[in-house]
Amino acid sequence: MHRHNEQIGDITMTSEKLVSKDDDVLLPYAHGHGPSHSHRHVRDCQPVIYGNTTHESWAASNHSGLPLAESSVFVTDVPGTSRHVYGHMTVVHDPLRTVSVLEPGGPGSCGMNQRATVEETAKAAGCLYAQNAGFFDTRSGKCLGNVVSNGRTVQDSGGVQNAQFGIRRDGTLTFGYQSQEDVLNQSNPFVQLVSGVVWLLRDGEVYINQSLKAECDKTQETGQFRTFVDVVSARTAVGHDTQGRLILFQIDGKTGQRGMNLWEVADFLKKYGVINAINLDGGGSSTYVVDGSLSSYPSDECVPDNRWRCGRQVSTILCVHPRRCEPSDCSGHGACVDGRCQCQEGWQGAACDALVCQPPACGSHGVCTAGGCVCDAGWRGKNCSQECLPGFYGVGCNQTCACVNGGSCDPVHGRCSCAPGFRGNTCEQ
């Protein structure tokens, strides 16, 4: 392979593309993904104060007058340690219309076990901010867990019990454990859904011990799941605050050396007002991108030059994008302006898919159109309730009768009814 080298001081830069070595792997399970026990086990082993509810729901904020999101870079010490961490927190003001779960690289890639960097996926989708989300099989590349992307069910985990984050059609944010029936429920379906591992905060309190009971598969090496929770590493999470704003969280690190363990992540998020939060893929997968450019410091070494660090190809991402309309063309009857359809005259509704004129406005003698009522032949008026005036007929009553000698015409077809002593098409004989 041809390689172009450029000398900069005493450092040689190469034009050959560097890719992640995938060396900083942080996995919760030794094999597979998620516990094999039932949703009933999750329900039965949770604190009695939560009853049968295994997830929390919260109305999302809808501050369309504010900026889409506000992203902050932070450097903070970890209490009780000598460690400092570097990361990003992003506050999203209108999650329903500005946050999407995206497959790696684009739609259909999970079905083909493909991975892509957060940069690649975010750039292609026009994300303002993006971070990695769901886990993947490190051998096959398969997306793991439940995935719903912009209303499209990508895959169903079959009821595997891991912590979930989702947005339902009415804008409700959900965090926690969902049964398969919850996931497939179409009365208020998920428009975005992704699986994490470990419910960090529930209703404002640290929920990791309960998550250890709910998500630790007894068929796995029990030590590996606990190490996943306890080890310091780069981390990614998603949560919400009391206002229903979505909070994206990402910190840099390297497994066993830098970053935070999940207890520290939970404490940090609680300190900053997060109510519910789940942990997403971490380690070398932890990535944050702004306007399509990498803004975090990945921990994976690069191939073929391990002096550098490279962003890993990952599975799903969380994408913060400009407000969008659904459908994007406003059903062909309007224009999308800042996520809202501005309808053409005669059309109404959030998607501009309903006529302003709705039955029975035109009665039994007309049909509704974008321009109002169109009356059947022989009828007239705003609501098509009046017959044609004498001497006129047809659609719109705009044709003049040709009947003479006192004959009258049919208001629909214009056929003449002749007075006694006259005959013919126009009563002229």
Side-chain angles (χ1 to χ4, degrees):
M1 178 183 296
H2 175 71
R3 179 187 299 181
H4 170 71
N5 292 325
E6 179 181 354
Q7 191 74 24
I8 303 178
D10 61 350
I11 299 177
T12 301
M13 302 290 288
T14 177
S15 61
E16 182 177 347
K17 184 177 180 180
L18 301 176
V19 297
S20 167
K21 189 177 178 181
D22 281 3
D23 57 307
D24 185 10
V25 178
L26 179 62
L27 298 177
Y29 303 104
H31 306 287
H33 184 70
S36 59
H37 52 239
S38 68
H39 188 73
R40 179 177 179 178
H41 170 86
V42 173
R43 188 171 60 244
D44 290 347
C45 74
Q46 71 180 2
V48 67
I49 59 171
Y50 296 111
N52 288 331
T53 304
T54 59
H55 60 270
E56 297 292 332
S57 298
W58 201 279
S61 61
N62 181 18
H63 300 303
S64 56
L66 295 175
L68 294 174
E70 297 158 344
S71 180
S72 301
V73 178
F74 65 85
V75 179
T76 185
D77 64 315
V78 180
T81 76
S82 59
R83 283 178 279 123
H84 287 75
V85 294
Y86 171 96
H88 298 82
M89 283 190 73
T90 305
V91 180
V92 185
H93 297 285
D94 190 3
L96 176 62
R97 291 190 294 150
T98 65
V99 174
S100 294
V101 174
L102 299 182
E103 294 181 73
S109 54
C110 277
M112 296 182 286
N113 293 352
Q114 294 181 348
R115 293 191 287 153
T117 66
V118 178
E119 288 176 273
E120 292 167 337
T121 306
K123 191 175 296 183
C127 305
L128 304 175
Y129 307 102
Q131 66 185 37
N132 66 295
F135 289 75
F136 59 91
D137 188 302
T138 56
R139 297 174 298 277
S140 68
K142 175 180 173 56
C143 302
L144 296 173
N146 293 301
V147 181
V148 177
S149 175
N150 295 321
R152 178 176 54 87
T153 300
V154 175
Q155 66 180 41
D156 167 19
S157 72
V160 172
Q161 295 303 313
N162 285 120
Q164 314 279 321
F165 158 66
I167 306 176
R168 291 196 177 273
R169 184 169 60 191
D170 66 356
T172 300
L173 306 176
T174 69
F175 293 80
Y177 303 111
Q178 305 277 350
S179 68
Q180 191 170 23
E181 290 74 20
D182 292 331
V183 171
L184 300 178
N185 188 332
Q186 292 302 300
S187 62
N188 183 22
F190 282 105
V191 291
Q192 317 293 341
L193 181 64
V194 70
S195 298
V197 173
V198 178
W199 191 353
L200 298 170
L201 292 173
R202 180 173 188 176
D203 200 21
E205 299 299 329
V206 177
Y207 202 70
I208 295 176
N209 277 324
Q210 295 86 340
S211 296
L212 286 167
K213 296 177 183 178
E215 295 186 61
C216 187
D217 194 334
K218 298 299 186 293
T219 67
Q220 301 288 348
E221 299 172 16
T222 56
Q224 180 164 344
F225 194 86
R226 186 63 194 235
T227 298
F228 173 82
V229 170
D230 292 342
V231 70
V232 296
S233 186
R235 301 287 187 173
T236 311
V238 59
H240 74 85
D241 64 10
T242 56
Q243 299 179 47
R245 300 179 301 181
L246 198 67
I247 310 296
L248 306 184
F249 171 86
Q250 181 275 329
I251 60 167
D252 294 323
K254 187 170 181 63
T255 303
Q257 299 178 26
R258 305 185 305 275
M260 288 182 175
N261 62 42
L262 290 188
W263 305 95
E264 292 163 345
V265 171
D267 287 339
F268 180 90
L269 293 174
K270 179 180 178 180
K271 176 182 177 182
Y272 283 91
V274 175
I275 303 300
N276 290 289
I278 69 164
N279 172 67
L280 301 172
D281 196 7
S285 296
S286 183
T287 311
Y288 190 78
V289 167
V290 177
D291 289 330
S293 297
L294 184 64
S295 293
S296 58
Y297 293 93
S299 57
D300 278 353
E301 295 181 358
C302 295
V303 176
D305 191 338
N306 63 8
R307 293 178 299 173
W308 313 106
R309 297 294 178 265
C310 284
R312 174 183 294 174
Q313 290 184 326
V314 298
S315 178
T316 51
I317 74 166
L318 288 176
C319 167
V320 181
H321 50 73
R323 293 182 178 93
R324 296 171 182 168
C325 294
E326 184 60 41
S328 59
D329 67 347
C330 297
S331 306
H333 306 303
C336 184
V337 179
D338 194 27
R340 296 188 184 277
C341 287
Q342 294 188 354
C343 302
Q344 298 169 354
E345 185 176 356
W347 294 91
Q348 63 183 353
C352 298
D353 56 350
L355 290 165
V356 172
C357 174
Q358 290 287 325
C362 302
S364 59
H365 302 298
V367 294
C368 287
T369 71
C373 292
V374 173
C375 300
D376 297 337
W379 296 90
R380 64 187 176 88
K382 186 175 181 180
N383 58 359
C384 303
S385 61
Q386 305 172 43
E387 292 189 55
C388 294
L389 292 170
F392 296 91
Y393 74 95
V395 176
C397 298
N398 57 6
Q399 297 185 61
T400 305
C401 287
C403 306
V404 295
N405 298 320
S408 61
C409 70
D410 180 276
V412 177
H413 306 292
R415 299 190 187 99
C416 293
S417 296
C418 299
F422 297 93
R423 59 187 176 83
N425 292 335
T426 59
C427 305
E428 75 281 2
Q429 302 176 25

